[in-house]
Amino acid sequence: MPDTAPGQGPGTGTSGSGGGLDAFIAGLPKAELHVHHVGSASPRIVAELAARHPEAGVPTDPAELAEYYTFRDFAHFIQVYLSVVDLIRDPEDVRLLTFEVARDMARQNIRYAELTVTPYSSTSRRIPGEAFMAAIEDARKSAEAELGVILRWSFDIPGEAGLPSAAETLRLATELRPDGLVSFGLGGPEIGVPRPQFKPYFDQARAAGLHSVPHAGETTGPQTVWDAINELGAERIGHGTSAVRDPRLLAHLAEHRIPLEVCPTSNIATRAVASLDEHPIRAMVEAGVLVTVGSDDPPMFGTDLNTEYAVAARLLELDPAGVAALAKNAVEVSFLDPAGKAALAAEIDAYTAAWN
């Protein structure tokens, strides 16, 4: 993780679960399924972009940036997030950000990641779609060749921008489809952004062979998760923290093996959950739901994937074998090809066996 990561997460670096387990987590080969492109911009990169584009009003001083990343609520987080989005002004910015995100992943032994990308945020700021695709693809290929990190894309509708953004995201995903694109999602605020209105766009994306991975039930209730499943054909749910309020929903998720992408520190930082001790991850697992762990917008929340594994290990009382099993959940439900899944699962097993 970058040395000067700001944010209000409950622990920066893998602290709180014991030095031995922290070391195990740090070396563990991992897949990450819930992490955002712009939200992964390190303070160093944000400061560099802010200096290039001072009119955006984003601080360049690390201390001021840390204060800037203190969120009053989810709506304020979205406001801050979009101000950072506004720093991405040209294809060179896109390429730089993408490769540097992969560099931070490599430092954490992340072997595979499905990066949530919101192309509408860039194309609506006059970056041509073709240039945007070329930039992320160039970074993807370089990341795999130079860093050993396999990147895939999930194109995300920014819910706050309404149906025009859904139409444009679908167009970009289908007409300009980059080789790394595997899924279609929906992010942004949930309150006032009902999921059913996006059904036609998800229907077309799924017909084009893309997987459905909407955010749901983070800041709203279980009905949003039901809508994501029934209306959007969700194969995985981003967050889903409110699912624990509905036993029937938990049973459905468990029976149909629809995973929840859980991001504990993010949930605290955005006030979706009051405290880590109240986080519902344990109730999810005890209900038989398949859970993966993600970092969401890591530098903004003062976290990284290693920290999230340490937090999950404490909340779930996991030993190294349990942490390894959690890591293999992410591999199992990823959209990596079967050979890639088998190779990464075998690497996790070999690492765990050698550790033991």
Side-chain angles (χ1 to χ4, degrees):
M1 192 171 94
D3 293 335
T4 56
Q8 301 304 305
T12 301
T14 52
S15 60
S17 62
L21 189 57
D22 291 346
F24 175 82
I25 291 168
L28 179 68
K30 291 175 287 287
E32 171 139 45
L33 306 183
H34 193 112
V35 61
H36 290 262
H37 184 217
V38 173
S40 295
S42 71
R44 175 177 57 82
I45 297 302
V46 171
E48 182 177 332
L49 292 170
R52 291 177 62 186
H53 308 297
E55 66 279 9
V58 177
T60 58
D61 177 76
E64 291 180 14
L65 198 56
E67 185 176 349
Y68 189 70
Y69 278 179
T70 301
F71 310 116
R72 296 187 297 271
D73 51 30
F74 191 83
H76 182 232
F77 162 69
I78 292 293
Q79 179 184 337
V80 172
Y81 184 95
L82 292 177
S83 73
V84 177
V85 169
D86 198 42
L87 295 175
I88 312 301
R89 302 292 181 87
D90 55 46
E92 290 75 20
D93 293 340
V94 174
R95 202 274 179 193
L96 173 68
L97 167 66
T98 309
F99 186 80
E100 291 304 317
V101 167
R103 191 192 303 277
D104 285 342
M105 289 178 171
R107 293 179 183 134
Q108 300 173 69
N109 285 306
I110 295 172
R111 302 287 195 263
Y112 171 82
E114 293 173 14
L115 196 60
T116 296
V117 178
T118 310
Y120 178 81
S121 298
S122 293
T123 60
S124 65
R125 288 167 171 79
R126 300 187 179 180
I127 296 178
E130 293 84 355
F132 180 88
M133 302 305 168
I136 61 171
E137 282 293 294
D138 180 66
R140 179 181 69 81
K141 293 170 184 175
S142 295
E144 187 164 351
E146 298 175 30
L147 305 172
V149 177
I150 299 171
L151 293 178
R152 296 291 182 265
W153 317 124
S154 173
F155 276 8
D156 200 44
I157 298 169
E160 72 280 356
L163 297 183
S165 73
E168 176 65 0
T169 303
L170 178 67
R171 184 190 74 80
L172 293 167
T174 54
E175 295 183 14
L176 301 181
R177 182 171 181 168
D179 290 343
L181 183 61
V182 294
S183 59
F184 196 74
L186 170 62
E190 295 176 20
I191 297 171
V193 188
R195 271 42 195 157
Q197 66 183 315
F198 297 101
K199 182 181 189 309
Y201 306 98
F202 274 81
D203 285 348
Q204 292 177 68
R206 292 163 63 206
L210 297 175
H211 299 280
S212 173
V213 290
H215 291 53
E218 180 184 11
T219 55
T220 57
Q223 185 58 48
T224 309
V225 181
W226 281 118
D227 289 344
I229 295 168
N230 295 328
E231 303 294 335
L232 308 183
E235 297 170 59
R236 295 197 316 249
I237 297 289
H239 296 292
T241 48
S242 66
V244 294
R245 301 183 207 163
D246 184 344
R248 189 171 66 90
L249 175 57
L250 285 180
H252 182 88
L253 293 169
E255 178 185 355
H256 295 277
R257 293 184 64 75
I258 300 172
L260 298 180
E261 303 161 357
V262 180
C263 308
T265 296
S266 165
N267 298 151
I268 309 308
T270 61
R271 310 297 193 257
V273 176
S275 70
L276 276 180
D277 289 338
E278 299 173 56
H279 198 280
I281 187 172
R282 190 177 189 108
M284 295 169 177
V285 172
E286 289 176 346
V289 177
L290 206 162
V291 163
T292 70
V293 174
S295 61
D296 204 12
D297 302 287
M300 290 187 174
F301 298 142
T303 192
D304 60 10
L305 188 60
N306 289 344
T307 300
E308 296 309 287
Y309 268 85
V311 169
R314 180 175 73 79
L315 296 177
L316 298 173
E317 299 181 22
L318 301 178
D319 60 8
V323 171
L326 192 61
K328 288 177 71 174
N329 279 356
V331 177
E332 176 189 345
V333 304
S334 75
F335 302 128
L336 184 59
D337 61 89
K341 285 186 180 185
L344 183 48
E347 188 180 2
I348 292 170
D349 286 340
Y351 173 82
T352 306
W355 180 273
N356 290 335

